[in-house]
Amino acid sequence: MTNTPIVNQRAIAALKNLFVADSLAMPLHWFYRTSDIFKAFPGGISTFSDAPAQHPSSIMSLHSTSQGGRKKTETGTKQKEIIGDVILKGKREFWDVPNIHYHHLMKAGDNTLNAHCARIVMCSLHENGGCYDSGIFLRRYIEFMTSDIPKHNDTYAESYHRGFFDNLEKGKPSNQCGAKTHDTASIGGLVTIAPIVISERLLGTPLDEVQQKCKEHLMLTHPDEKLAAICEHYVSLIDKLLFRTDDE
């Protein structure tokens, strides 16, 4: 595969639009009824918008703040809170409020936490000459998420973030902290994949090797074999879009 001007333009557009689309979608994340979308945004979304104050389907108040998954009955000594003490510092107070938006107080054009994680992957690729290295990614991910001065303004962290840092706090090696919950096989796991595919393929890394690297990356945070199988097809799709001929 040759990196023609059109291929490079597609790569740049894909990565830029990852962040544009994330910002556009942010106010409507986890809206499950189209009627609720048009009630909150008459005519639908046509530009960047703030997160609404209220969310009609929010169940953030039911999610655990100490581990992945939903809340469980606390017994014995109170354990360290992952939300507030380890990650999302300063945001714990919003998690027990019914119908609060998952991205509470985020402004028009802001990116969500998962898009920031895609940026972390991009930075780790840049640090290593375009090649993916799980150690560099994990170091940057942990530093970003646990910063005393938050480096993003999202209020919500999906189950996989909470599970990962719960395991890290328990002393597990960072490359073994991926947690399994009821929603491990979620689309959030695919957000960080595209930068790896694009960077590695532009360097000439064979597609099968890129698929393997992406699955290994996925397992760091989303250890699920079914999702890994979907990831393999997703990598192939990105590759075909990147290197398609003009008439395809």
Side-chain angles (χ1 to χ4, degrees):
M1 297 296 180
T2 56
N3 299 346
T4 63
I6 188 63
V7 168
N8 289 325
Q9 289 172 24
R10 287 169 182 162
I12 293 168
L15 294 173
K16 284 184 175 180
N17 281 313
L18 184 158
F19 298 99
V20 173
D22 175 76
S23 294
L24 280 171
M26 176 271 291
L28 300 180
H29 280 176
W30 294 289
F31 273 58
Y32 295 119
R33 292 183 294 270
T34 53
S35 59
D36 287 334
I37 294 175
F38 291 111
K39 184 177 180 180
F41 296 94
I45 286 285
S46 59
T47 187
F48 297 128
S49 301
D50 296 349
Q54 295 291 306
H55 192 297
S57 309
S58 174
I59 56 170
M60 189 164 74
S61 60
L62 302 180
H63 291 177
S64 174
T65 56
S66 59
Q67 59 189 358
R70 304 282 169 80
K71 284 183 177 176
K72 297 179 180 178
T73 304
E74 299 280 346
T75 57
T77 305
K78 181 175 175 59
Q79 65 183 106
K80 193 173 187 177
E81 292 264 55
I82 298 302
I83 301 299
D85 293 334
V86 181
I87 64 174
L88 292 185
K89 294 168 185 176
K91 300 297 179 72
R92 173 64 182 83
E93 63 182 292
F94 301 120
W95 279 60
D96 290 329
V97 182
N99 289 111
I100 196 168
H101 198 286
Y102 292 89
H103 304 304
H104 182 61
L105 299 180
M106 286 181 64
K107 300 299 182 182
D110 283 350
N111 277 123
T112 68
L113 178 55
N114 279 356
H116 278 284
C117 288
R119 185 182 61 80
I120 291 168
V121 170
M122 293 167 67
C123 290
S124 68
L125 288 162
H126 178 71
E127 181 179 335
N128 198 42
C131 295
Y132 175 75
D133 183 282
S134 62
I136 296 175
F137 163 72
L138 287 168
R139 170 176 56 80
R140 283 182 169 270
Y141 173 59
I142 293 168
E143 289 174 354
F144 177 84
M145 294 291 289
T146 60
S147 174
D148 288 332
I149 300 175
K151 297 183 178 181
H152 65 91
N153 59 344
D154 206 341
T155 300
Y156 185 62
E158 286 188 27
S159 183
Y160 82 87
H161 296 292
R162 290 175 274 132
F164 180 96
F165 285 95
D166 177 39
N167 285 332
L168 191 66
E169 285 294 307
K170 291 174 179 175
K172 288 189 176 183
S174 60
N175 62 355
Q176 298 175 27
C177 284
K180 294 184 179 182
T181 68
H182 71 284
D183 56 0
T184 297
S186 63
I187 197 169
L190 301 180
V191 176
T192 60
I193 297 298
I196 301 174
V197 183
I198 293 170
S199 184
E200 288 279 2
R201 289 295 286 140
L202 290 181
L203 288 176
T205 307
L207 179 59
D208 59 344
E209 290 185 23
V210 177
Q211 288 172 317
Q212 185 58 36
K213 285 187 178 186
C214 288
K215 286 192 290 185
E216 290 173 359
H217 169 75
L218 183 72
M219 289 295 176
L220 295 175
T221 53
H222 293 74
D224 184 274
E225 291 297 334
K226 290 183 179 179
L227 188 61
I230 293 171
C231 178
E232 186 172 325
H233 290 291
Y234 181 54
V235 172
S236 179
L237 173 62
I238 295 171
D239 180 76
K240 289 177 180 177
L241 289 168
L242 186 62
F243 293 112
R244 71 188 185 279
T245 58
D246 290 340
D247 60 348
E248 285 184 275

